[in-house]
Amino acid sequence: MERVRNRVFRKPVPSFPKTVAIETQSGCNGRCVFCQYPQLKDQLPRGRMSDEVFEKIARECASRSASPRHGAPERFILCLDNEPLLDSRLATRFAGLQRYCPRSVRNLTTNASLLTREKVEELIGTGLVNELFLSVNGESKAVYETLMGLPYERVMKNLEGLCAWLRQHPEIRKTLRVRVNTVRMKLVAPEIPAMRERWGAEGFELHVIDMDSRGDQLDLKAVPDEVMRPNTSCRRPFHTMVFTWEGDAVICCVDYKRAVKLGNVREQTVYEIWNGPWATLLRKEYLARDFTHLRICATCKVNS
């Protein structure tokens, strides 16, 4: 039944990824209990994506704009297992995407700990970012700091400053999509109504995301009360391409250990990786529930 459902209800795989996620620089200042980065940070390679690799990805995505049926990606997300605002070149990166793919959504997903007024004006005030996702887990100080390990007062000050700035710039607010993301967990669940009311009053969406085991790469000791079940209907490998700062294309955004690599953009084009025999085989195996080469998918669980 799972195989039938996946085949019947899944849209055809596009000839080019709809979403491209790019890790421009490694590293995060958060200590979120639902993320394996704090557990793996000393094991993962650290560095920045070179200008040449980033430009190559952007140019190849731009080349698809000439095709009326298979255009450039709908969305770029400059984030993987990192806090993007740690990258001092982030504005330059977004400017490159705006130049090469002006019609695509340019998404900033951040924990807001570094989202100062200066950053708001640099990235949002200039139009470089036209979609803002804020990772906020909890309404109270106790829950927030337990789950994210960031200073509650500083983050809330930044968010209040963002709201005030947007109220002062209604012309920008009209075109900027703002969404608050919170991970579904028993600790945060009682605070979701208050979060919905608070951020809804600012015109922000509130999106509750199922917690997942990150392909079984996350040690769940910090969240022992969560009831996890197999993730049998993942859409990520069918519409999103994810690049690490080294140029590796990995199977999805939760593969922090780089367990399943599709290729490397230094050696192949984005199109070749996305449509190559290896990526095609992996998608077919997933639909057939054959995890010969997809142990990360076989062990991935969610708490929905």
Side-chain angles (χ1 to χ4, degrees):
M1 288 300 296
E2 290 175 358
R3 290 198 297 269
V4 171
R5 181 182 62 187
N6 279 333
R7 290 187 178 277
V8 171
F9 293 103
R10 190 178 304 280
K11 295 180 180 179
V13 178
S15 63
F16 205 74
K18 294 294 184 182
T19 298
V20 175
I22 306 173
E23 179 188 44
T24 66
Q25 175 178 309
S26 63
C28 184
N29 59 346
R31 299 188 303 276
C32 301
V33 299
F34 48 83
C35 175
Q36 73 268 43
Y37 176 77
Q39 301 170 9
L40 301 177
K41 63 181 180 179
D42 295 329
Q43 304 174 33
L44 297 174
R46 302 181 182 184
R48 284 182 168 186
M49 178 174 282
S50 69
D51 293 339
E52 293 75 18
V53 171
F54 187 87
E55 287 281 322
K56 184 176 187 291
I57 295 172
R59 284 198 309 270
E60 291 181 10
C61 290
S63 68
R64 306 298 300 175
S65 299
S67 171
R69 292 183 56 198
H70 312 294
E74 296 175 356
R75 173 177 283 100
F76 288 94
I77 304 175
L78 299 191
C79 179
L80 181 52
D81 57 354
N82 61 309
E83 166 51 49
L85 290 176
L86 287 171
D87 189 348
S88 60
R89 304 170 303 170
L90 194 62
T92 302
R93 302 302 203 195
F94 276 119
L97 295 177
Q98 185 183 48
R99 181 173 66 255
Y100 283 114
C101 304
R103 298 179 182 177
S104 300
V105 172
R106 296 176 298 280
N107 175 288
L108 171 63
T109 296
T110 174
N111 60 35
S113 62
L114 303 174
L115 191 61
T116 61
R117 184 182 180 90
E118 291 72 25
K119 287 296 181 182
V120 171
E121 293 177 345
E122 178 186 34
L123 298 173
I124 298 173
T126 58
L128 294 179
V129 168
N130 52 19
E131 184 176 71
L132 178 62
F133 286 2
L134 304 165
S135 299
V136 183
N137 292 273
E139 177 69 10
S140 67
K141 173 182 171 69
V143 169
Y144 178 88
E145 292 190 346
T146 297
L147 295 180
M148 300 195 69
L150 290 167
Y152 177 84
E153 288 83 2
R154 185 176 76 192
V155 174
M156 292 304 131
K157 180 180 178 181
N158 287 346
L159 292 176
E160 290 166 3
L162 167 68
C163 293
W165 189 91
L166 289 174
R167 287 193 291 270
Q168 295 168 2
H169 298 82
E171 71 287 353
I172 293 178
R173 182 66 189 91
K174 289 179 181 178
T175 59
L176 177 70
R177 181 189 182 193
V178 185
R179 190 174 88 179
V180 173
N181 290 335
T182 192
V183 178
R184 187 193 312 276
M185 288 180 288
K186 289 185 177 181
L187 190 60
V188 77
E191 300 193 349
I192 288 178
M195 294 179 65
R196 195 178 302 279
E197 181 178 359
R198 176 180 184 178
W199 301 116
E202 299 292 343
F204 298 174
E205 304 170 37
L206 180 68
H207 184 57
V208 182
I209 304 172
D210 294 336
M211 178 186 154
D212 63 56
S213 65
R214 310 285 174 145
D216 207 29
Q217 296 181 1
L218 173 66
D219 186 344
L220 296 173
K221 291 179 181 177
V223 284
D225 295 332
E226 299 299 326
V227 178
M228 311 297 288
R229 65 171 180 78
N231 182 3
T232 59
S233 57
C234 183
R235 298 183 298 118
R236 291 164 179 158
F238 298 86
H239 64 69
T240 300
M241 175 160 279
V242 180
F243 289 106
T244 71
W245 67 267
E246 297 171 290
D248 287 325
V250 293
I251 188 67
C252 81
C253 59
V254 305
D255 187 6
Y256 286 9
K257 291 183 179 179
R258 286 64 165 148
V260 182
K261 297 179 182 179
L262 306 181
N264 190 292
V265 76
R266 296 174 184 269
E267 304 162 358
Q268 300 168 273
T269 67
V270 177
Y271 182 86
E272 288 170 344
I273 297 172
W274 181 255
N275 294 284
W278 179 231
T280 301
L281 172 65
L282 292 176
R283 294 189 193 106
K284 288 181 177 179
E285 287 187 350
Y286 182 88
L287 291 176
R289 313 306 293 163
D290 173 4
F291 298 114
T292 303
H293 302 102
L294 289 170
R295 183 183 178 279
I296 183 174
C297 298
T299 55
C300 192
K301 297 179 180 180
V302 292
N303 69 342
S304 63

